[in-house]
Amino acid sequence: RNFKEMSYIPTPKTPMDVIVKVECSNITLQDCMVRRGKWHEKQSLPYIPGTDVVGTILALGKNALKFSSFKAGDYVYAMVPSGGNAKYASIPYQNLNRIPDGTDPVMALCIASTYTPVRQSLDLARKANTPLTGANVLVIGGNGPLGLATIELALHEGAIVHATASERHHPYLSALGVQCLPIEPSQWLPTLSGRMDVVFDSVCIDDYASSHMALNSTGTLICTGFSAVYTRGKIPFLNGYLDMRDFRARLVRFHADWVLDNTVFFDRREKYLTAPMEFAQHFRFLCHLHKQGIITPTVSGCTPLKMVPVVQRNIELGDVPYGVCVCMPWETEVDEPSSGQSNGKAAI
């Protein structure tokens, strides 16, 4: 069996594709929602979860060979609609990014899937392309992987960071240098209303209303998701015959894009596909910062392929350590979080 796995290499699905041997990929709440059919972006069956992949090129389609500079053995990252939690992935060469030499694959995955999109969204909030030094920054949902990356990069720039999270996460976030707030807007908005220079909201508890009200007159709201639309239960219509969560998700996206002023909706996949060179430059820079010890991505844990459903269940229950959950498809044993990483639980 092991010999068969080692000798079998799939062929590219299209001439533009390359075959990547996956070293690691992410496991996310979005995967859980897609698997349950509770996400606005539907995936065809059979569905393989995993949207971010790090690995090595094994084979190239004829057009990928002809038109790209990639070759077998190149160490690459890709953001994909699905299919990352596998041993091999067929990916269009246009979606690949080279990983700097010497970068650990798990760190490359964390930097590409969380820190790079956060860095791009931070650029949307800057005034005259200046750092956020001294700015009041509010992170809605600070305990998730994107929230933690936002906190670290904002603190690195000298921002004053506030973050919402369940009370059980406050000790962990406070130790990072964050001013902690409860989840419900009614408990923090009276204090923060009109004070924030930047608000990052990936949760969307109330259609971004409270996040927008927290802004000062020149502030910017960066909307990066709407997880609460799906995690806070069914939105019934016609006596419960229909679930309106997909409609609600599209409505809040429209609201952020066209109704709210001083507001930007940041979709990391859209940005990855439309501005690949920008992503690549930020990614290389953040890998450099990690190499210098300036940023330290947090890894929740590494798990073999067969344990992905267990990790998904734990993500839904909020019973995973802080950081990015990583699938290691060629491993057979579950790894504990490495030293220096919290064993606290991070509800999503």
Side-chain angles (χ1 to χ4, degrees):
R1 178 181 175 183
N2 289 339
F3 178 78
K4 183 178 179 180
E5 286 184 353
M6 291 174 65
S7 62
Y8 169 71
I9 298 177
T11 57
K13 290 182 179 178
T14 76
M16 306 292 280
D17 281 12
V18 304
I19 295 299
V20 174
K21 181 182 178 182
V22 178
E23 293 190 35
C24 58
S25 57
N26 61 348
I27 309 170
T28 66
L29 178 64
Q30 177 179 322
D31 292 335
C32 303
M33 296 295 102
V34 172
R35 187 196 71 222
R36 292 182 178 275
K38 298 175 180 178
W39 195 251
H40 66 291
E41 295 177 347
K42 305 302 181 187
Q43 298 288 342
S44 59
L45 298 176
Y47 167 69
I48 299 174
T51 56
D52 296 79
V53 171
V54 166
T56 305
I57 294 177
L58 290 186
L60 297 89
K62 63 179 182 179
N63 287 353
L65 273 170
K66 181 178 180 180
F67 297 115
S68 81
S69 59
F70 291 108
K71 62 184 183 302
D74 282 351
Y75 183 37
V76 294
Y77 160 81
M79 188 185 302
V80 294
S82 62
N85 297 158
K87 292 185 174 182
Y88 300 98
S90 183
I91 302 169
Y93 78 84
Q94 302 97 322
N95 292 0
L96 299 178
N97 267 280
R98 285 186 173 86
I99 297 173
D101 293 340
T103 306
D104 175 79
V106 172
M107 288 296 101
L109 177 70
C110 294
I111 292 168
S113 65
T114 57
Y115 280 72
T116 305
V118 166
R119 174 82 182 186
Q120 291 177 299
S121 64
L122 283 171
D123 284 349
L124 300 174
R126 302 185 199 283
K127 301 294 186 288
N129 202 31
T130 57
L132 297 175
T133 308
N136 281 300
V137 173
L138 172 61
V139 181
I140 306 297
N143 55 286
L146 281 172
L148 292 173
T150 306
I151 287 168
E152 183 169 11
L153 291 180
L155 288 172
H156 173 64
E157 294 194 16
I160 303 165
V161 181
H162 311 255
T164 69
S166 297
E167 189 172 348
R168 66 193 181 100
H169 303 302
H170 289 190
Y172 179 81
L173 295 176
S174 295
L176 300 178
V178 173
Q179 299 183 30
C180 296
L181 303 164
I183 291 177
E184 295 302 326
S186 60
Q187 299 181 48
W188 55 259
L189 187 58
T191 303
L192 298 189
S193 180
R195 290 182 49 201
M196 295 295 104
D197 296 294
V198 188
V199 179
F200 294 92
D201 191 341
S202 63
V203 181
C204 189
I205 288 178
D206 54 6
D207 297 352
Y208 305 122
S210 56
S211 295
H212 191 264
M213 286 188 282
L215 296 176
N216 59 34
S217 59
T218 62
T220 304
L221 169 59
I222 310 295
C223 305
T224 58
F226 32 68
S227 60
V229 172
Y230 289 93
T231 59
R232 290 203 161 195
K234 185 176 181 179
I235 303 175
F237 184 65
L238 295 178
N239 293 323
Y241 181 75
L242 296 176
D243 185 349
M244 299 299 289
R245 280 181 286 191
D246 289 347
F247 175 79
R248 180 71 172 274
R250 290 179 172 85
L251 183 62
V252 298
R253 171 70 190 263
F254 177 86
H255 195 62
D257 281 334
W258 302 105
V259 178
L260 295 176
D261 59 350
N262 298 332
T263 301
V264 179
F265 192 96
F266 179 84
D267 184 301
R268 75 184 190 102
R269 177 160 174 79
E270 287 179 9
K271 190 69 170 177
Y272 182 79
L273 295 176
T274 58
M277 296 305 295
E278 178 186 323
F279 181 96
Q281 187 63 24
H282 282 305
F283 177 53
R284 287 193 294 266
F285 174 67
L286 290 164
C287 288
H288 169 74
L289 292 186
H290 172 256
K291 187 176 181 180
Q292 299 299 315
I294 295 172
I295 61 171
T296 308
T298 304
V299 180
S300 175
C302 297
T303 188
L305 197 57
K306 65 181 180 180
M307 296 297 292
V308 168
V310 176
V311 176
Q312 288 183 339
R313 182 193 64 199
N314 291 339
I315 288 174
E316 291 185 271
L317 295 173
D319 191 27
V320 291
Y322 298 104
V324 177
C325 296
V326 179
C327 169
M328 306 289 286
W330 298 93
E331 299 295 329
T332 58
E333 301 296 331
V334 179
D335 290 341
E336 295 297 325
S338 60
S339 60
Q341 296 165 347
S342 171
N343 288 319
K345 302 298 183 180
I348 307 298

